[in-house]
């Protein structure tokens, strides 16, 4: 028996006892004690009513609301496939060259992968500069095959059928040069702006082969210096609106 049931039985017994006592006192005409007995009856009755009405109803727990999972969109699936492809390429390259650094050669690698077009990477710290073909089947990277040797040298044709007359690619050379000098170039830009200059030049003595200058301009554009011009003396970086140069025959525009 629970404690609450015991209290209810005690209150009920007290109520009956006060009722019998009140009846006996009424018969014997003991009015002061009769009033006390009636007061006890009221107290016992209130106590019994309180215990009877205090039952707690069990509360049915409400199940927690679970958000409905969103179905993946086509754009989300393409982004996921591209991210997995990048991760797989990194894993394959690091397995052979622990210190390798690489970038996509394609301007829009994600789109080319989805369209089934061949995609290439430019790798460094793998015994030189390498151009490599990423072999992809059903949006899965199956391997990375070198198609040019160190420093852009193309190996002789092998069983893979790669031609030995492929053009030299300077994309990775430009990437490495800009990566090594981008901080210095930013400081020079700030210094030139502080002196009120509209442009500054990178001399040919500071640059690698002239054939790579156009690729270096593209890499500079990816690093925020997107208004550059190749000249005979090197590369000119435009900092803000300028007038037509004397004898240059071109118009310089503000960098974005």
């Amino acid at each position: 028996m629970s404690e609450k049931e015991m209290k209810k039985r005690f209150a009920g017994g007290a109520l009956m006892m006060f009722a019998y006592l009140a009846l006996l006192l009424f018969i014997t005409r003991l009015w002061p004690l009769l009033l006390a007995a009636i007061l006890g009856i009221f107290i016992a009755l209130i106590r019994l009513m309180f215990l009877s009405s205090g039952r707690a109803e069990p509360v049915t727990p409400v199940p927690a609301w679970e958000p409905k999972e969103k179905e993946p969109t086509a754009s989300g699936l393409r982004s996921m496939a591209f991210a997995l492809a990048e991760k797989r390429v990194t894993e394959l390259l690091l397995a052979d060259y622990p210190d390798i650094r690489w970038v996509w050669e394609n301007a829009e690698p994600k789109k080319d992968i989805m369209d089934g077009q061949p995609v290439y990477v430019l790798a460094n710290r793998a015994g030189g500069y390498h151009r490599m073909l990423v072999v992809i089947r059903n949006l899965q990277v199956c391997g990375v095959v070198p198609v040019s040797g160190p420093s852009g040298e193309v190996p002789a044709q092998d069983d893979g059928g790669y031609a030995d007359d492929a053009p030299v690619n300077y994309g990775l050379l430009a990437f490495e040069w800009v990566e090594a000098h981008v901080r210095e170039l930013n400081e020079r830009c700030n210094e030139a702006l502080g002196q009120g200059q509209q442009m500054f030049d990178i001399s040919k003595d500071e640059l690698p082969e002239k054939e790579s200058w156009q690729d270096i301009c593209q890499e500079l554009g990816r690093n925020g210096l997107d208004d550059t011009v190749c000249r005979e003396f090197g590369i000119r970086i435009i900092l803000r609106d300028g007038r037509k140069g004397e004898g240059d025959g071109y118009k310089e525009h503000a960098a974005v």
Side-chain angles (χ1 to χ4, degrees), residues 101-122:
R101 300 286 299 275
W102 68 274
V103 294
W104 291 106
E105 182 189 55
N106 300 58
E108 297 182 357
K110 179 179 177 181
K111 181 178 182 299
D112 293 341
I113 290 175
M114 299 305 154
D115 295 342
Q117 301 296 325
V119 290
Y120 298 87
V121 298
L122 302 174

Side-chain angles (χ1 to χ4, degrees), residues 201-205 207 213 231-236 248:
D201 300 327
I202 305 174
S203 67
K204 60 182 179 181
D205 296 334
L207 297 167
W213 290 3
R231 315 312 273 165
E232 288 298 326
F233 53 78
I235 296 176
R236 172 164 291 173
D248 290 340

Side-chain angles (χ1 to χ4, degrees), residues 29-101:
R29 302 290 192 272
L30 298 175
W31 306 119
L33 296 177
L34 177 61
L35 293 176
I38 293 174
L39 181 61
I41 290 174
F42 277 108
I43 295 174
L45 182 60
I46 292 173
R47 178 63 175 168
L48 184 60
M49 292 175 61
F50 176 80
L51 293 173
S52 299
S53 62
R55 293 182 179 179
E57 297 293 334
V59 179
T60 303
V62 180
W65 177 77
E66 297 181 359
K68 185 179 179 181
E69 295 183 359
K70 295 182 179 180
E71 296 183 358
T73 61
S75 176
L77 291 175
R78 287 194 294 269
S79 299
M80 184 183 301
F82 180 67
L84 291 175
E86 284 190 320
K87 181 179 179 181
R88 181 57 178 163
V89 170
T90 302
E91 292 175 350
L92 291 173
L93 294 176
L94 288 177
D96 295 329
Y97 309 101
D99 298 327
I100 198 169
R101 300 286 299 275

Side-chain angles (χ1 to χ4, degrees), residues 110-145:
K110 179 179 177 181
K111 181 178 182 299
D112 293 341
I113 290 175
M114 299 305 154
D115 295 342
Q117 301 296 325
V119 290
Y120 298 87
V121 298
L122 302 174
N124 191 23
R125 300 183 184 177
Y129 300 106
H130 291 266
R131 180 172 182 259
M132 301 184 179
L133 171 67
V134 181
V135 181
I136 298 179
R137 298 188 181 92
N138 298 325
L139 299 181
Q140 293 185 353
V141 177
C142 301
V144 181
V145 182

Side-chain angles (χ1 to χ4, degrees), residues 99-243:
D99 298 327
I100 198 169
R101 300 286 299 275
W102 68 274
V103 294
W104 291 106
E105 182 189 55
N106 300 58
E108 297 182 357
K110 179 179 177 181
K111 181 178 182 299
D112 293 341
I113 290 175
M114 299 305 154
D115 295 342
Q117 301 296 325
V119 290
Y120 298 87
V121 298
L122 302 174
N124 191 23
R125 300 183 184 177
Y129 300 106
H130 291 266
R131 180 172 182 259
M132 301 184 179
L133 171 67
V134 181
V135 181
I136 298 179
R137 298 188 181 92
N138 298 325
L139 299 181
Q140 293 185 353
V141 177
C142 301
V144 181
V145 182
V147 296
S148 69
S151 302
E153 298 175 1
V154 182
Q157 184 172 347
D158 55 12
D159 295 338
Y162 302 115
D164 56 359
D165 57 351
V168 176
N169 187 286
Y170 292 96
L172 187 58
L173 175 61
F175 170 78
E176 289 292 332
W177 189 90
V178 172
E179 184 182 37
H181 295 81
V182 64
R183 180 175 297 179
E184 175 190 350
L185 293 175
N186 284 329
E187 293 176 354
R188 292 171 65 179
C189 285
N190 293 332
E191 182 179 353
L193 287 172
Q195 297 175 358
Q197 298 179 7
Q198 298 175 346
M199 65 189 74
F200 77 88
D201 300 327
I202 305 174
S203 67
K204 60 182 179 181
D205 296 334
E206 304 176 64
L207 297 167
E209 293 87 343
K210 188 174 182 179
E211 291 78 7
S212 66
W213 290 3
Q214 191 61 44
D215 292 320
I216 290 177
C217 288
Q218 295 178 1
E219 288 296 330
L220 289 173
R222 296 190 183 100
N223 286 270
L225 302 174
D226 53 357
D227 201 347
T228 56
V229 181
C230 292
R231 315 312 273 165
E232 288 298 326
F233 53 78
I235 296 176
R236 172 164 291 173
I237 299 178
I238 313 301
L239 302 178
R240 57 174 181 247
D241 289 335
R243 300 177 181 177

